[in-house]
Amino acid sequence: MVEQSKKLVLFEHPIWQAILHVKNGQPINSNYERYLSANNFSVEKEMALTLELILNDKQSECNYPARINFLQEFLDFNETLDLSHCDSYQEYLHKVPIADIYLIYASENVKNASSMLGHIMLRMDGINDKGLNVSHGITFFTELKGFNVPKILYDSLVTGKKGIFQIAPYSDFVNNYLNIELRNIWEYKLSLSDIQKQLIRDITWELGSTDLSYFFHTYNCATVTQLLIASSVPETIPTLQSWLTPLDVVHFVEENNLVEKTNLIPSEEWELRALIDNLPQEVITKAIQSVHSANIDLKTISSERDKLLTIAFYKAYNKFSVRKNLINNDVYERNNIKIEQLTTKSPNFQLEVSDYKMPTAASPDGQVAVGWRSENKKDWLSINLFPVASHQGDNKKHVFGETTLTLASLDILYNPESNNIKLDNFIVYSMHSMIPFDNTLKGYSTGFRFGLERHNDVKLTGKLNAFIEGKLGFTYEFNQDIGAYFETALGIGSDSNSTYLYTTPQLGAYVYLIGGIKLHVQNSISFNKQKSDLVLNTSSLFLDWQIKRDLYLSADYIKYWNSIKSTKSYGMRLRYRF
């Protein structure tokens, strides 16, 4: 049997490599206990040892149904391999049917730093052995609890954290994402054959029977989910990105024409904001009063469109109000009765928000940028790289609020004339969420970041400092194209000479112009940076032009000054998102 597999070079088959989670012959996750050849791994040895296990260890073979079914298709076994003796596997087949498979994307939660990339998972639907329609969520994650962010990053990037592979009723996930974390859920029904579904089901079983190490950058929820789906198009595995995010998986199924249909389950807050953006303010004000007083009606609304949207607002805001204790349960139930009466008068009404602020419209998560910068009358070549991030100059109309997220962002400056190279900054982690303040939903701006960056001293000479900084403030949107904000940052900086506490109030605004151009201006005042007795003022202007979805041209002008000196820098660069 082993010789037959070698003759067929079966171990190089893309489906075999998909089952093993192997890319270019090497494990994507080296901390993977289910490998039989873990001490000296190769796809060929793994196949030989699997065949030996099948022939000699009937109990252990129950852990590898995907491998067994694959080998049985190509090799001449003396008898049909039967897994009916595998009680746990048979129970899994009966309880987790696979008539349909969905890709599930829980959108970003811009209020939570650990959820700003969203989450991705699978859902399996069908009729179980008791004749009931059931849905199960299949997910891979790790616990990110605690306040020691550097340790969490080190564990998840270097040593690996304990991964949790979970199969549970889908309703549990829906309740958590919609009602606790207030995220939207996007459901993508996948167009797969029965054989492809069975393969995904069996690989899922194999993954659940062992311990997996979670690596934020190479083996995360997106990696596992995309590898499961990629088993149906295994020829794509060699081209998979090393660092995947949840939206990368959504783009993957779209680009490979695997999406049969799409459904959106909006969160309460998403739906409310969508309705607030599409209804006149006077209608919103009256509707809020009506819900609080249990006096719901449509008498003062003449527009048929506004009537339908107001019914949807009543329903969403009624749930929001009882959850926030703005109304009691009695008022909530009385409102529900009236809302149901209004709804029955519009039986064909269905609120369509699937095209409203679509997260899939976002630019790709990675970035490389090359440009020119002028500082202190010197010209520099500017190079920037970060594998996962959203930039302040990106188009943010697909989400609520102006958000940024950076992991391991590196900026290097090179002066060709003097052959001088210097590190401009290295941002280990940075998140900034500017939620527009709303009278109904409130909302605050928050930020947190740490790493190495240049802080100006009294002579306005930038010195590289380690720092950690938090930020809090308010953002107000005049409309979808114009917003302004006020924030205050409090941080600790340190270099080889001193450690200091500093604070930086800042006022800014952003405007979306025609032609994909975004203008961002900001003025800040820093106190005690580099232990300076002089107040440091900074005024900046940023212009970003989105040429294509993945290509930006950016320009900036920054002026620094204190009571004795001033300086400025400006530059331009081409940013490619990947």
Side-chain angles (χ1 to χ4, degrees), residues 262-266 271 275 305 308-309 311-312 315 343 346-354:
T262 303
N263 180 51
L264 167 64
I265 308 176
E271 189 173 356
L275 291 163
R305 170 188 174 277
L308 297 177
L309 292 177
I311 293 172
K315 186 174 182 180
T343 303
S346 307
N348 297 321
F349 170 64
Q350 182 177 359
L351 180 64
E352 178 55 60
V353 293
S354 60

Side-chain angles (χ1 to χ4, degrees), residues 91-206:
E91 182 181 8
Y92 166 70
L93 296 183
H94 293 148
K95 291 187 175 181
V96 186
I98 51 163
D100 294 305
I101 295 182
Y102 290 77
L103 176 67
I104 305 300
Y105 171 65
S107 66
E108 76 290 333
N109 178 359
V110 294
K111 294 181 178 180
N112 187 332
S114 66
S115 305
M116 287 184 72
L117 289 174
H119 185 71
I120 202 81
M121 57 185 285
L122 290 180
R123 165 184 148 197
M124 295 182 180
D125 289 5
I127 299 175
N128 67 10
D129 57 338
K130 296 182 179 179
L132 300 175
N133 282 304
V134 292
S135 295
H136 288 88
I138 293 89
T139 185
F140 178 65
F141 62 98
T142 191
E143 296 288 352
L144 294 175
K145 294 180 179 179
F147 297 97
N148 191 341
V149 176
K151 185 179 187 305
I152 290 173
L153 288 174
Y154 179 80
D155 289 345
S156 59
L157 292 172
V158 180
T159 62
K161 290 181 67 66
K162 178 178 173 56
I164 301 168
F165 192 83
Q166 184 179 46
I167 302 174
Y170 179 61
S171 57
D172 293 347
F173 295 104
V174 172
N175 178 63
N176 179 67
Y177 289 134
L178 285 182
N179 301 323
I180 298 175
E181 298 189 4
L182 305 179
R183 304 199 209 184
N184 291 340
I185 298 175
W186 297 76
E187 302 174 325
Y188 302 89
K189 185 178 181 181
L190 301 180
S191 179
L192 301 169
S193 68
D194 290 341
I195 293 176
Q196 290 171 329
K197 294 173 187 175
Q198 290 164 12
L199 179 60
I200 292 174
R201 174 199 64 194
D202 288 345
I203 297 176
T204 298
W205 171 259
E206 293 193 9

Side-chain angles (χ1 to χ4, degrees), residues 48 66 84 94 112 155 193 255 258 297 306 326 332 367 393 438:
S84 60
H94 293 148
N112 187 332
D155 289 345
S193 68
E255 290 165 2
L258 295 176
D297 62 54
D306 286 354
L326 301 176
Y332 171 76
Q367 174 176 293
D438 177 86

Side-chain angles (χ1 to χ4, degrees), residues 49 52 129 204 209 224 226 239 242 296 361 374 396 434 540:
L49 290 172
E52 182 180 326
D129 57 338
T204 298
S209 64
V224 171
Q226 182 152 329
T239 64
S242 297
I296 287 176
S374 175
K396 302 293 181 179
M434 292 165 39
S540 53

Side-chain angles (χ1 to χ4, degrees), residues 16 113 301 387 396 404 417 431 454:
W16 179 251
I301 303 174
K396 302 293 181 179
T404 64
E417 189 174 311
M431 63 78 64
R454 295 190 175 274

Side-chain angles (χ1 to χ4, degrees), residues 269-419:
E269 185 167 331
W270 173 280
E271 189 173 356
L272 278 171
R273 287 188 181 273
L275 291 163
I276 289 170
D277 283 353
N278 286 277
L279 278 169
Q281 183 57 49
E282 60 271 18
V283 173
I284 294 295
T285 301
K286 185 178 185 305
I288 290 172
Q289 295 171 349
S290 298
V291 168
H292 290 176
S293 62
N295 188 29
I296 287 176
D297 62 54
L298 299 172
K299 294 177 181 178
T300 60
I301 303 174
S302 57
S303 164
E304 195 64 29
R305 170 188 174 277
D306 286 354
K307 284 183 180 179
L308 297 177
L309 292 177
T310 303
I311 293 172
F313 181 84
Y314 279 144
K315 186 174 182 180
Y317 186 71
N318 194 41
K319 290 191 294 183
F320 173 84
S321 296
V322 74
R323 183 172 61 83
K324 291 288 188 178
N325 295 318
L326 301 176
I327 59 175
N328 58 37
N329 286 327
D330 179 59
V331 172
Y332 171 76
E333 293 299 338
R334 286 159 59 194
N335 284 336
N336 266 346
I337 294 172
K338 293 183 180 179
I339 292 168
E340 186 63 30
Q341 292 172 348
L342 294 174
T343 303
T344 56
K345 296 178 182 179
S346 307
N348 297 321
F349 170 64
Q350 182 177 359
L351 180 64
E352 178 55 60
V353 293
S354 60
D355 291 332
Y356 179 76
K357 295 187 180 291
M358 293 178 63
T360 51
S363 298
D365 295 299
Q367 174 176 293
V368 60
V370 178
W372 155 81
R373 172 157 297 283
S374 175
E375 285 185 349
N376 298 320
K377 299 181 180 180
K378 286 185 179 181
D379 292 327
W380 301 82
L381 173 67
S382 170
I383 301 172
N384 168 260
L385 174 67
F386 47 66
V388 174
S390 59
H391 188 270
Q392 70 172 15
D394 293 346
N395 187 331
K396 302 293 181 179
K397 289 189 175 183
H398 56 279
V399 296
F400 286 119
E402 296 288 306
T403 62
T404 64
L405 177 65
T406 301
L407 293 171
S409 172
L410 183 67
D411 271 290
I412 295 174
L413 296 177
Y414 172 68
N415 181 257
E417 189 174 311
S418 62
N419 198 30

Side-chain angles (χ1 to χ4, degrees), residues 3-57:
E3 291 304 317
Q4 185 186 4
S5 69
K6 289 182 178 179
K7 186 176 180 180
L8 294 172
V9 198
L10 196 55
F11 52 82
E12 291 185 355
H13 197 289
I15 290 182
W16 179 251
Q17 303 212 15
I19 292 171
L20 297 182
H21 283 193
V22 165
K23 178 180 176 183
N24 299 325
Q26 295 300 316
I28 294 174
N29 186 346
S30 57
N31 295 0
Y32 205 168
E33 290 187 358
R34 71 178 177 138
Y35 289 137
L36 302 174
S37 61
N39 295 329
N40 189 17
F41 177 86
S42 76
V43 289
E44 184 176 358
K45 288 178 182 177
E46 198 69 21
M47 181 167 286
L49 290 172
T50 300
L51 287 168
E52 182 180 326
L53 180 144
I54 291 171
L55 297 173
N56 301 304
D57 190 342

